[in-house]
């Protein structure tokens, strides 16, 4: 997005730092509605439901943010379908195939890539299809790329690539697509109906939390960040940390919530901002960690669907969605806070989150 300069200058337009990222972040709920509409078209998923229905183990593969989608999607897959699933960084499959391919009999694979061109992911899909005779589904944000040619089929999502280098809308769109696919494979029509309700509910949530995150970031300064989640929220915690690092060149780590006690908590102080992505299933145990870290002096940003006095008393900022949806139908909005915090922290530091330092849109290795 750019705007004409008001000083009567020529038609030279001035790019507004972070404008693409902000528009892409805010547009997620509307974009999800388009994705769900595309997935509801008759026949769009039949081939893949059949393939994955027969698999007793599904590997979700990706790099960077797309690996974090794999983490969240594999946790959802296990819970929704009751089948085994694992998230694999594409490089691990390439460098340690025997570690990853545990000899399961009927294996399916899902290769996730916004660009459809990331060398490691394309090579991993190629290896599975050609060396291991494992059918691979491509989940991409850009059609007709290398990955589409290598994989057996591509999930029919609308193109969700961003103008910004940083993945935001593509992250949640591809995650939602995989959750929808899991519900179809499991024949869980109730979950499908709930996923269909999410976009409208998330739009209201985004409108409410956007100004709160902007004000919170602009009124404080932090030295470092830690993002914590369990189950499907762990992958979202990893993505939250990556957004803070990519968009604001900040040092951010991610852990399973309860893991944080086992050593890493030694960094906690007032200049440490802890993001807690609280699950419903682990709420009490995770809330214990929020309480303990608050007592150690941390600043806490807590995201929950519903909370209680305990969480309210130990959260410096509490984002409460209050969605009337089952847990697995409402995980995507948990990354909104981290996306917006990364953006506004970057802007506050005088950076342009649309063009993050050292990053390219795609990591292409030699020989490609
Ligand atoms: C994956 C990725 C992004 C990262 C950067 C470089 O891309 O590693 O996660 O933020 O943009 O590419 P892709 O395989 O999803 O296209």
């Amino acid at each position: 997005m750019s705007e004409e300069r008001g000083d009567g200058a020529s038609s030279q337009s001035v790019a507004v730092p972070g404008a693409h990222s902000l528009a892409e972040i805010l547009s997620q709920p509307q974009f999800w509605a388009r994705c769900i509409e595309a997935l509801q078209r008759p026949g769009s998923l039949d081939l893949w439901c059949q393939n994955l229905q027969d698999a007793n183990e599904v590997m979700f593969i990706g790099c960077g943010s797309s690996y974090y989608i794999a983490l969240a999607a594999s946790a959802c897959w296990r819970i929704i379908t009751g089948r085994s699933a694992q998230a694999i960084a594409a490089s691990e499959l390439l460098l340690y195939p025997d570690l990853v391919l545990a000899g399961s009999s009927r294996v399916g694979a899902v290769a996730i890539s916004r660009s459809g061109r990331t060398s490691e992911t394309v090579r991993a899909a190629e290896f599975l299809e050609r060396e291991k005779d494992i059918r691979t589904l491509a989940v991409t944000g850009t059609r007709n790329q290398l990955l589409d040619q290598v994989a057996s089929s591509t999930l029919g999502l609308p193109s969700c690539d961003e103008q910004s280098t940083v993945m935001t809308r593509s992250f949640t769109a591809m995650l939602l697509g995989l959750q929808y696919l899991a519900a179809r494979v499991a024949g869980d029509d109730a979950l499908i109906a709930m996923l269909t309700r999410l976009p409208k509910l998330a739009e209201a949530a985004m409108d409410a939390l956007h100004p709160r995150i902007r004000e919170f970031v602009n009124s404080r300064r932090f030295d470092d960040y830690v993002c914590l989640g369990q189950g499907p929220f762990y992958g979202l915690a990893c993505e939250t940390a990556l957004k803070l690092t990519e968009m604001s060149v900040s040092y951010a780590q991610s852990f399973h919530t309860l893991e944080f006690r086992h050593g890493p908590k030694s960094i906690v102080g007032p200049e440490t901002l802890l993001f807690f992505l609280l699950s419903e299933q682990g709420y009490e145990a995770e809330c214990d960690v929020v309480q303990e870290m608050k007592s150690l002096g941390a600043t806490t940003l807590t995201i929950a669907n519903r909370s209680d006095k305990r969480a309210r008393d130990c959260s410096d900022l509490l984002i409460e969605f209050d969605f009337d949806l089952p847990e697995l139908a409402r995980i995507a909005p948990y990354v909104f806070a981290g996306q917006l915090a990364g953006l506004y922290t970057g802007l506050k530091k005088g950076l342009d989150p649309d063009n993050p330092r050292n990053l390219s849109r795609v990591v292409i290795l030699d020989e490609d």
Side-chain angles (χ1 to χ4, degrees), residues 63-66 112-116 118 121 165 167 242-243 246 360-363:
C63 299
S65 290
S66 295
I112 306 162
S113 173
R114 165 184 70 174
S115 63
T118 297
T121 308
T165 298
M167 287 174 68
L242 184 59
K243 291 311 101 171
E246 288 182 331
S360 59
R361 295 180 58 76
V362 193
V363 176

PDB file of all heavy atoms in Angstrom, residues 63-66 112-116 118 121 165 167 242-243 246 360-363, ligand 1:
ATOM      1  N   CYS A  63       8.816 -25.705   6.472  1.00  0.00           N
ATOM      2  CA  CYS A  63       9.975 -24.943   6.966  1.00  0.00           C
ATOM      3  C   CYS A  63       9.463 -23.636   7.563  1.00  0.00           C
ATOM      4  O   CYS A  63       8.487 -23.071   7.085  1.00  0.00           O
ATOM      5  CB  CYS A  63      10.931 -24.612   5.826  1.00  0.00           C
ATOM      6  SG  CYS A  63      11.625 -26.045   5.007  1.00  0.00           S
ATOM      7  N   GLY A  64      10.170 -23.137   8.568  1.00  0.00           N
ATOM      8  CA  GLY A  64       9.819 -21.837   9.138  1.00  0.00           C
ATOM      9  C   GLY A  64       8.372 -21.812   9.619  1.00  0.00           C
ATOM     10  O   GLY A  64       7.905 -22.760  10.259  1.00  0.00           O
ATOM     11  N   SER A  65       7.670 -20.751   9.262  1.00  0.00           N
ATOM     12  CA  SER A  65       6.255 -20.664   9.679  1.00  0.00           C
ATOM     13  C   SER A  65       5.467 -21.879   9.223  1.00  0.00           C
ATOM     14  O   SER A  65       4.570 -22.363   9.914  1.00  0.00           O
ATOM     15  CB  SER A  65       5.615 -19.414   9.078  1.00  0.00           C
ATOM     16  OG  SER A  65       6.122 -18.256   9.690  1.00  0.00           O
ATOM     17  N   SER A  66       5.818 -22.399   8.053  1.00  0.00           N
ATOM     18  CA  SER A  66       5.073 -23.566   7.542  1.00  0.00           C
ATOM     19  C   SER A  66       5.361 -24.812   8.365  1.00  0.00           C
ATOM     20  O   SER A  66       4.506 -25.700   8.470  1.00  0.00           O
ATOM     21  CB  SER A  66       5.409 -23.788   6.062  1.00  0.00           C
ATOM     22  OG  SER A  66       4.917 -22.664   5.330  1.00  0.00           O
ATOM     23  N   ILE A 112       3.682 -28.445   3.276  1.00  0.00           N
ATOM     24  CA  ILE A 112       3.074 -27.120   3.465  1.00  0.00           C
ATOM     25  C   ILE A 112       4.077 -26.044   3.052  1.00  0.00           C
ATOM     26  O   ILE A 112       5.215 -26.029   3.526  1.00  0.00           O
ATOM     27  CB  ILE A 112       2.696 -26.921   4.951  1.00  0.00           C
ATOM     28  CG1 ILE A 112       1.808 -28.068   5.447  1.00  0.00           C
ATOM     29  CG2 ILE A 112       2.017 -25.565   5.168  1.00  0.00           C
ATOM     30  CD1 ILE A 112       1.739 -28.188   6.965  1.00  0.00           C
ATOM     31  N   SER A 113       3.651 -25.145   2.168  1.00  0.00           N
ATOM     32  CA  SER A 113       4.571 -24.099   1.731  1.00  0.00           C
ATOM     33  C   SER A 113       3.804 -22.941   1.104  1.00  0.00           C
ATOM     34  O   SER A 113       3.122 -23.133   0.098  1.00  0.00           O
ATOM     35  CB  SER A 113       5.563 -24.656   0.685  1.00  0.00           C
ATOM     36  OG  SER A 113       6.355 -23.619   0.149  1.00  0.00           O
ATOM     37  N   ARG A 114       3.915 -21.753   1.683  1.00  0.00           N
ATOM     38  CA  ARG A 114       3.227 -20.594   1.107  1.00  0.00           C
ATOM     39  C   ARG A 114       3.673 -20.396  -0.336  1.00  0.00           C
ATOM     40  O   ARG A 114       2.859 -20.210  -1.213  1.00  0.00           O
ATOM     41  CB  ARG A 114       3.516 -19.335   1.919  1.00  0.00           C
ATOM     42  CG  ARG A 114       3.137 -18.053   1.189  1.00  0.00           C
ATOM     43  CD  ARG A 114       3.488 -16.799   1.927  1.00  0.00           C
ATOM     44  NE  ARG A 114       4.920 -16.539   1.990  1.00  0.00           N
ATOM     45  CZ  ARG A 114       5.425 -15.408   2.494  1.00  0.00           C
ATOM     46  NH1 ARG A 114       4.613 -14.480   2.965  1.00  0.00           N
ATOM     47  NH2 ARG A 114       6.721 -15.212   2.556  1.00  0.00           N
ATOM     48  N   SER A 115       4.951 -20.429  -0.574  1.00  0.00           N
ATOM     49  CA  SER A 115       5.484 -20.119  -1.911  1.00  0.00           C
ATOM     50  C   SER A 115       5.357 -21.298  -2.868  1.00  0.00           C
ATOM     51  O   SER A 115       5.362 -21.141  -4.080  1.00  0.00           O
ATOM     52  CB  SER A 115       6.971 -19.757  -1.793  1.00  0.00           C
ATOM     53  OG  SER A 115       7.680 -20.899  -1.291  1.00  0.00           O
ATOM     54  N   GLY A 116       5.348 -22.528  -2.294  1.00  0.00           N
ATOM     55  CA  GLY A 116       5.396 -23.712  -3.156  1.00  0.00           C
ATOM     56  C   GLY A 116       6.746 -23.877  -3.819  1.00  0.00           C
ATOM     57  O   GLY A 116       6.896 -24.696  -4.732  1.00  0.00           O
ATOM     58  N   THR A 118       9.978 -23.458  -1.736  1.00  0.00           N
ATOM     59  CA  THR A 118      11.059 -23.658  -0.749  1.00  0.00           C
ATOM     60  C   THR A 118      11.793 -24.952  -1.052  1.00  0.00           C
ATOM     61  O   THR A 118      11.180 -26.032  -1.071  1.00  0.00           O
ATOM     62  CB  THR A 118      10.469 -23.666   0.663  1.00  0.00           C
ATOM     63  OG1 THR A 118       9.892 -22.383   0.909  1.00  0.00           O
ATOM     64  CG2 THR A 118      11.517 -23.975   1.708  1.00  0.00           C
ATOM     65  N   THR A 121      11.414 -28.130   1.168  1.00  0.00           N
ATOM     66  CA  THR A 121      10.078 -28.729   1.160  1.00  0.00           C
ATOM     67  C   THR A 121       9.812 -29.436  -0.166  1.00  0.00           C
ATOM     68  O   THR A 121       9.282 -30.549  -0.202  1.00  0.00           O
ATOM     69  CB  THR A 121       9.016 -27.637   1.424  1.00  0.00           C
ATOM     70  OG1 THR A 121       9.382 -26.919   2.612  1.00  0.00           O
ATOM     71  CG2 THR A 121       7.616 -28.238   1.615  1.00  0.00           C
ATOM     72  N   THR A 165       6.838  -9.838   3.164  1.00  0.00           N
ATOM     73  CA  THR A 165       7.696 -11.031   3.225  1.00  0.00           C
ATOM     74  C   THR A 165       7.194 -11.988   4.293  1.00  0.00           C
ATOM     75  O   THR A 165       7.265 -13.204   4.169  1.00  0.00           O
ATOM     76  CB  THR A 165       9.148 -10.591   3.547  1.00  0.00           C
ATOM     77  OG1 THR A 165       9.592  -9.764   2.489  1.00  0.00           O
ATOM     78  CG2 THR A 165      10.071 -11.769   3.755  1.00  0.00           C
ATOM     79  N   MET A 167       4.934 -14.186   6.736  1.00  0.00           N
ATOM     80  CA  MET A 167       3.688 -14.965   6.641  1.00  0.00           C
ATOM     81  C   MET A 167       2.755 -14.587   7.785  1.00  0.00           C
ATOM     82  O   MET A 167       3.150 -14.611   8.945  1.00  0.00           O
ATOM     83  CB  MET A 167       4.005 -16.455   6.705  1.00  0.00           C
ATOM     84  CG  MET A 167       4.657 -17.002   5.451  1.00  0.00           C
ATOM     85  SD  MET A 167       5.193 -18.718   5.589  1.00  0.00           S
ATOM     86  CE  MET A 167       3.610 -19.581   5.688  1.00  0.00           C
ATOM     87  N   LEU A 242       8.227 -16.282  16.236  1.00  0.00           N
ATOM     88  CA  LEU A 242       8.848 -15.969  14.946  1.00  0.00           C
ATOM     89  C   LEU A 242       8.376 -14.614  14.408  1.00  0.00           C
ATOM     90  O   LEU A 242       9.149 -13.841  13.852  1.00  0.00           O
ATOM     91  CB  LEU A 242       8.553 -17.081  13.927  1.00  0.00           C
ATOM     92  CG  LEU A 242       9.231 -16.927  12.558  1.00  0.00           C
ATOM     93  CD1 LEU A 242      10.744 -16.873  12.680  1.00  0.00           C
ATOM     94  CD2 LEU A 242       8.805 -18.046  11.603  1.00  0.00           C
ATOM     95  N   LYS A 243       7.087 -14.283  14.617  1.00  0.00           N
ATOM     96  CA  LYS A 243       6.592 -12.961  14.164  1.00  0.00           C
ATOM     97  C   LYS A 243       7.316 -11.841  14.888  1.00  0.00           C
ATOM     98  O   LYS A 243       7.696 -10.842  14.292  1.00  0.00           O
ATOM     99  CB  LYS A 243       5.079 -12.842  14.389  1.00  0.00           C
ATOM    100  CG  LYS A 243       4.203 -13.724  13.515  1.00  0.00           C
ATOM    101  CD  LYS A 243       4.527 -13.663  12.040  1.00  0.00           C
ATOM    102  CE  LYS A 243       5.325 -14.830  11.618  1.00  0.00           C
ATOM    103  NZ  LYS A 243       5.603 -15.131  10.277  1.00  0.00           N
ATOM    104  N   GLU A 246      10.854 -11.771  13.343  1.00  0.00           N
ATOM    105  CA  GLU A 246      10.912 -11.328  11.933  1.00  0.00           C
ATOM    106  C   GLU A 246      10.507  -9.858  11.790  1.00  0.00           C
ATOM    107  O   GLU A 246      11.144  -9.090  11.096  1.00  0.00           O
ATOM    108  CB  GLU A 246       9.978 -12.193  11.074  1.00  0.00           C
ATOM    109  CG  GLU A 246      10.471 -13.610  10.860  1.00  0.00           C
ATOM    110  CD  GLU A 246       9.539 -14.423   9.965  1.00  0.00           C
ATOM    111  OE1 GLU A 246       8.320 -14.153   9.950  1.00  0.00           O
ATOM    112  OE2 GLU A 246      10.035 -15.334   9.270  1.00  0.00           O
ATOM    113  N   SER A 360      14.331 -13.280   3.083  1.00  0.00           N
ATOM    114  CA  SER A 360      13.778 -13.286   1.718  1.00  0.00           C
ATOM    115  C   SER A 360      12.426 -14.001   1.810  1.00  0.00           C
ATOM    116  O   SER A 360      12.145 -14.690   2.788  1.00  0.00           O
ATOM    117  CB  SER A 360      14.698 -14.089   0.794  1.00  0.00           C
ATOM    118  OG  SER A 360      14.808 -15.427   1.316  1.00  0.00           O
ATOM    119  N   ARG A 361      11.629 -13.859   0.784  1.00  0.00           N
ATOM    120  CA  ARG A 361      10.301 -14.472   0.836  1.00  0.00           C
ATOM    121  C   ARG A 361      10.392 -16.000   0.794  1.00  0.00           C
ATOM    122  O   ARG A 361       9.539 -16.695   1.312  1.00  0.00           O
ATOM    123  CB  ARG A 361       9.460 -14.008  -0.354  1.00  0.00           C
ATOM    124  CG  ARG A 361       9.139 -12.536  -0.359  1.00  0.00           C
ATOM    125  CD  ARG A 361       8.323 -12.192  -1.570  1.00  0.00           C
ATOM    126  NE  ARG A 361       7.089 -12.979  -1.603  1.00  0.00           N
ATOM    127  CZ  ARG A 361       6.051 -12.714  -0.829  1.00  0.00           C
ATOM    128  NH1 ARG A 361       6.125 -11.747   0.051  1.00  0.00           N
ATOM    129  NH2 ARG A 361       4.961 -13.433  -0.876  1.00  0.00           N
ATOM    130  N   VAL A 362      11.431 -16.473   0.109  1.00  0.00           N
ATOM    131  CA  VAL A 362      11.561 -17.925  -0.042  1.00  0.00           C
ATOM    132  C   VAL A 362      13.040 -18.297   0.111  1.00  0.00           C
ATOM    133  O   VAL A 362      13.899 -17.549  -0.340  1.00  0.00           O
ATOM    134  CB  VAL A 362      11.110 -18.395  -1.452  1.00  0.00           C
ATOM    135  CG1 VAL A 362      10.944 -19.918  -1.485  1.00  0.00           C
ATOM    136  CG2 VAL A 362       9.830 -17.724  -1.863  1.00  0.00           C
ATOM    137  N   VAL A 363      13.318 -19.421   0.726  1.00  0.00           N
ATOM    138  CA  VAL A 363      14.700 -19.897   0.841  1.00  0.00           C
ATOM    139  C   VAL A 363      14.944 -20.919  -0.262  1.00  0.00           C
ATOM    140  O   VAL A 363      14.421 -22.042  -0.229  1.00  0.00           O
ATOM    141  CB  VAL A 363      14.948 -20.524   2.228  1.00  0.00           C
ATOM    142  CG1 VAL A 363      16.357 -21.113   2.310  1.00  0.00           C
ATOM    143  CG2 VAL A 363      14.740 -19.470   3.328  1.00  0.00           C
TER     144      VAL A 363
HETATM  145  C1  LIG B   1       8.768 -20.753   4.530  1.00  0.00           C
HETATM  146  C2  LIG B   1       9.671 -19.603   5.035  1.00  0.00           C
HETATM  147  C3  LIG B   1       8.881 -18.668   5.922  1.00  0.00           C
HETATM  148  C4  LIG B   1       9.760 -17.538   6.434  1.00  0.00           C
HETATM  149  C5  LIG B   1      10.388 -16.781   5.279  1.00  0.00           C
HETATM  150  C6  LIG B   1      11.110 -17.746   4.349  1.00  0.00           C
HETATM  151  O1  LIG B   1       8.254 -20.408   3.315  1.00  0.00           O
HETATM  152  O2  LIG B   1      10.703 -20.205   5.763  1.00  0.00           O
HETATM  153  O3  LIG B   1       8.383 -19.392   7.023  1.00  0.00           O
HETATM  154  O4  LIG B   1       8.974 -16.665   7.217  1.00  0.00           O
HETATM  155  O5  LIG B   1       9.358 -16.127   4.571  1.00  0.00           O
HETATM  156  O6  LIG B   1      10.220 -18.852   3.951  1.00  0.00           O
HETATM  157  P1  LIG B   1       7.225 -21.331   2.532  1.00  0.00           P
HETATM  158  O7  LIG B   1       7.842 -22.693   2.318  1.00  0.00           O
HETATM  159  O8  LIG B   1       5.998 -21.431   3.408  1.00  0.00           O
HETATM  160  O9  LIG B   1       7.009 -20.589   1.261  1.00  0.00           O
END
